[in-house]
Amino acid sequence: MKIKDILFSSSEAIDIARNHQEDIIIVTGVIKKVESRNNGGYINIIFKEKENTHLPSFRLFVSPNHIYNEGDLEYLENRNVGCYGRTRYNKTFAQMELFSLPNQIVFFDLEENEPCPFTLPVIELKRVEPIITDTLTAYQAVATTANAEGFSYYLKNQKNIPLLEKQIEQTIMKKEELLQEKEHRIKVRDRNVNEKERLIVQLNNKKDELATIKNTLEKKSSFAKRVLNIFKINGSKKINSLLSQKEIAEEEINDLKQEFYVKSNNVVDTENLIKHIESNAADIQTSISTTLQVMDDLKQGLKVEKVWREVVEKENCYMYHISTANLWIAVQISKAVYNSSIMEIKCLFQSHYEDNEMRFYPQNIQSIEFNISSNELMIYQKIRNELNNRLRHLPFLKKMTITKKTIVNS
């Protein structure tokens, strides 16, 4: 196939497209106008047609996601060009998509030694912001404004830090006092336990002594009956002595039992007191831990707020809020310091309390970052895809229903 076999005027290209033939051709003609970007985001480049035609002019179109801007294409106006591509028919007009000026466009009216008037396209930040907004809107995010002063919940409450530190110090001292009291009570309990053990030994010995007395007394009484008349006087004295010993031993046993009972109660009371002290100490420790957490949250919250105040004040920072997820989102767009043709995009995410959207949860800031080079012709689609791919993996956005927006050329 020769090049002349695929050369067609814009009028001929209209007929090809109207017959629903998506042929690869070179459409030739003079560019009448480069239109401004329409509501769908497309740029249409209109060919001049014969005055007596009733059909819409053939057009080249540039996708909303393409890096080209109207200013990059204005030099095409009134130039005799050829464009290589595939014809399409869209309801009422014939068209061809323009991807790359150097690879698709040829100028038929160039003067000798005149260079092709191509200019290097640049990334426009004003085009990035709507793409970011549309992408986040699918996650129910709403674009909003915020100022640094708004993120000041923890800043206003930082005066409580010295009070919390003093409270912790006093509570620790109270806990130390309880632990000392516990140590003292343990010693008291141990002494009472030792006393109980001593009393058990004494009580057992005294019981053995009483049993011996009773046994001796029983033998003496039996013997006295047999020789009552002979040893009446002497036997009676010995029995009375044994009875007296028995009575004394029984009294001592009762005293030991009473003392043992008292010591046992003391041990039980001391054990209960120790448990009560331990319970109070545990409650105090819980209070200390809670206060420490409050103080740590306050300090961490101050750090988080500082970052967000700095972020909000930066140029080309866009703020979004998802009320259903209690989530703040900040998107920073900037050109890389080391290479101005590379765009850096950084998204920050921070959850907040349900009852106060200006009070962050004092946790580490979640973020996603990626770079885009201006060498990417479909750079805005690349930005959309990169952002979508990273958003869908965030745990706090996974359960959300995503709504997609369809864009058409009109």
Side-chain angles (χ1 to χ4, degrees):
M1 181 182 293
K2 298 179 180 180
I3 291 180
K4 67 177 183 178
D5 295 332
I6 60 172
L7 281 173
F8 295 94
S9 69
S10 58
S11 299
E12 293 170 328
I14 292 174
D15 293 333
I16 292 172
R18 288 186 69 203
N19 291 327
H20 302 289
Q21 298 175 22
E22 293 191 357
D23 290 347
I24 294 177
I25 66 170
I26 298 175
V27 59
T28 64
V30 176
I31 300 300
K32 177 181 179 182
K33 183 180 181 181
V34 177
E35 294 183 343
S36 298
R37 195 178 300 277
N38 63 25
N39 292 335
Y42 289 85
I43 299 174
N44 290 312
I45 303 166
I46 311 300
F47 278 83
K48 288 182 180 179
E49 302 296 348
K50 297 176 182 178
E51 292 183 359
N52 59 354
T53 183
H54 64 283
L55 297 173
S57 301
F58 191 89
R59 65 182 64 185
L60 308 177
F61 72 90
V62 177
S63 164
N65 297 308
H66 203 288
I67 193 171
Y68 290 149
N69 304 302
E70 294 96 319
D72 302 320
L73 305 169
E74 286 177 350
Y75 60 80
L76 292 175
E77 290 185 353
N78 299 314
R79 300 301 297 262
N80 186 10
V81 302
C83 184
Y84 175 79
R86 186 182 295 276
T87 58
R88 295 181 185 177
Y89 195 74
N90 183 6
K91 295 182 179 179
T92 58
F93 50 82
Q95 61 182 351
M96 178 183 290
E97 184 167 7
L98 177 61
F99 294 100
S100 170
L101 287 168
N103 293 324
Q104 286 181 266
I105 295 290
V106 60
F107 290 90
F108 295 128
D109 55 1
L110 284 179
E111 298 293 335
E112 188 175 355
N113 297 324
E114 179 186 353
C116 288
F118 296 137
T119 59
L120 292 175
V122 295
I123 305 171
E124 284 197 352
L125 294 180
K126 67 180 182 181
R127 289 184 62 191
V128 177
E129 188 271 334
I131 290 173
I132 300 292
T133 299
D134 285 347
T135 305
L136 289 174
T137 298
Y139 291 87
Q140 303 174 33
V142 176
T144 184
T145 56
N147 54 64
E149 291 74 20
F151 298 115
S152 58
Y153 173 86
Y154 293 99
L155 187 63
K156 292 175 181 176
N157 286 279
Q158 69 175 341
K159 63 181 181 295
N160 293 329
I161 291 179
L163 299 176
L164 292 171
E165 289 174 339
K166 184 67 175 177
Q167 180 181 335
I168 290 171
E169 181 182 347
Q170 292 174 343
T171 310
I172 289 175
M173 290 176 61
K174 186 176 180 181
K175 181 185 175 184
E176 290 297 326
E177 291 173 359
L178 280 175
L179 293 177
Q180 291 175 6
E181 176 67 13
K182 176 186 173 183
E183 186 177 349
H184 170 68
R185 293 298 174 181
I186 288 174
K187 291 178 180 178
V188 171
R189 180 202 62 190
D190 292 344
R191 284 200 300 269
N192 284 328
V193 169
N194 291 334
E195 284 295 312
K196 274 181 63 178
E197 292 173 352
R198 180 185 61 79
L199 289 171
I200 289 173
V201 173
Q202 287 183 314
L203 188 58
N204 289 334
N205 290 339
K206 191 57 67 175
K207 285 180 179 179
D208 291 342
E209 182 183 336
L210 179 60
T212 301
I213 293 171
K214 286 183 177 180
N215 188 43
T216 304
L217 185 59
E218 185 178 346
K219 290 179 179 179
K220 291 288 184 183
S221 297
S222 176
F223 179 76
K225 287 179 181 179
R226 293 198 301 270
V227 293
L228 183 60
N229 295 326
I230 302 172
F231 301 103
K232 186 174 183 180
I233 297 174
N234 293 333
S236 178
K237 288 180 179 180
K238 290 181 179 181
I239 289 173
N240 288 336
S241 175
L242 289 170
L243 288 171
S244 177
Q245 292 176 32
K246 174 177 173 291
E247 184 178 347
I248 292 171
E250 288 175 341
E251 288 178 358
E252 290 177 346
I253 288 173
N254 287 333
D255 291 341
L256 288 170
K257 285 182 176 181
Q258 184 62 34
E259 189 176 356
F260 179 82
Y261 175 77
V262 172
K263 294 296 181 183
S264 296
N265 286 341
N266 287 344
V267 169
V268 172
D269 292 343
T270 308
E271 284 283 4
N272 290 335
L273 184 56
I274 291 170
K275 290 179 181 179
H276 181 67
I277 292 172
E278 289 174 341
S279 177
N280 285 345
D283 291 341
I284 289 175
Q285 182 57 50
T286 300
S287 175
I288 291 172
S289 299
T290 301
T291 308
L292 279 171
Q293 186 63 54
V294 171
M295 189 168 66
D296 289 345
D297 287 351
L298 185 49
K299 290 179 178 179
Q300 179 63 23
L302 283 168
K303 294 178 182 178
V304 171
E305 275 186 349
K306 182 181 178 183
V307 172
W308 278 83
R309 283 197 298 274
E310 292 173 351
V311 166
V312 169
E313 291 177 341
K314 287 185 177 180
E315 189 178 3
N316 298 316
C317 177
Y318 305 97
M319 295 294 297
Y320 302 87
H321 184 252
I322 304 179
S323 58
T324 54
N326 300 321
L327 187 70
W328 280 103
I329 304 174
V331 182
Q332 291 177 256
I333 305 171
S334 58
K335 292 183 178 179
V337 176
Y338 59 90
N339 188 342
S340 60
S341 67
I342 293 178
M343 176 173 288
E344 296 177 331
I345 298 177
K346 182 177 183 180
C347 302
L348 304 179
F349 304 86
Q350 192 72 40
S351 298
H352 64 76
Y353 284 84
E354 186 174 359
D355 59 348
N356 187 349
E357 66 182 30
M358 305 312 291
R359 181 186 178 188
F360 294 131
Y361 274 109
Q363 59 195 22
N364 292 332
I365 299 172
Q366 302 292 313
S367 66
I368 56 176
E369 300 179 45
F370 57 93
N371 299 335
I372 298 291
S373 170
S374 59
N375 294 330
E376 295 273 356
L377 289 177
M378 298 297 287
I379 186 168
Y380 300 104
Q381 183 62 48
K382 182 78 172 179
I383 291 172
R384 190 188 303 274
N385 292 343
E386 282 287 337
L387 187 56
N388 262 323
N389 289 338
R390 293 167 188 269
L391 288 173
R392 68 166 59 102
H393 291 102
L394 293 175
F396 40 81
L397 295 180
K398 276 185 176 180
K399 296 182 179 180
M400 301 193 70
T401 302
I402 303 173
T403 56
K404 294 186 178 180
K405 182 179 178 181
T406 302
I407 302 173
V408 296
N409 189 14
S410 58

